């Protein structure tokens, strides 16, 4: 069984920025990120909470990033 690392929303956004993503807008706790090549995703930022494993998997699919690439940090 594979396991995803625990990421808070803020830490995940910092990691995605190393892959070239930028925050384009914020609505409430949802940060909308976009990449120059057209990929985009939404990351919720809630203090003291980590991103669930299913949501993290969906964000990685949206960003076309593998779990191994995420763990290496870009």
């Amino acid at each position: 069984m594979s396991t995803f690392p625990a990421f808070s929303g803020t830490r995940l956004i910092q990691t995605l920025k190393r892959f070239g993503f930028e925050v384009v807008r914020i609505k409430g706790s949802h940060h909308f990120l976009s990449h120059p090549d057209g990929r985009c995703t939404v990351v919720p930022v809630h203090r003291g909470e980590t991103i669930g494993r299913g949501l993290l998997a969906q964000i990685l699919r949206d960003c076309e990033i593998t779990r191994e690439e995420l763990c290496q940090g870009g």
Side-chain angles (χ1 to χ4, degrees):
M1 182 171 151
S2 66
T3 59
F4 281 113
F7 276 91
S8 67
T10 304
R11 182 174 167 219
L12 182 57
I13 289 172
Q14 291 172 349
T15 303
L16 290 175
K17 283 184 177 183
R18 289 190 220 124
F19 284 96
F21 286 85
E22 289 298 323
V23 176
V24 291
R25 70 185 182 107
I26 299 172
K27 184 170 184 180
S29 63
H30 293 88
H31 291 63
F32 295 77
L33 289 90
S34 180
H35 193 274
D37 66 8
R39 296 177 285 169
C40 59
T41 193
V42 179
V43 178
V45 177
H46 298 118
R47 178 171 290 187
E49 293 185 19
T50 59
I51 303 291
R53 130 181 115 179
L55 179 57
L56 181 58
Q58 181 61 49
I59 291 170
L60 293 180
R61 279 193 298 271
D62 290 344
C63 296
E64 299 174 8
I65 296 172
T66 66
R67 187 180 64 173
E68 291 77 22
E69 290 172 333
L70 181 71
C71 291
Q72 292 172 0

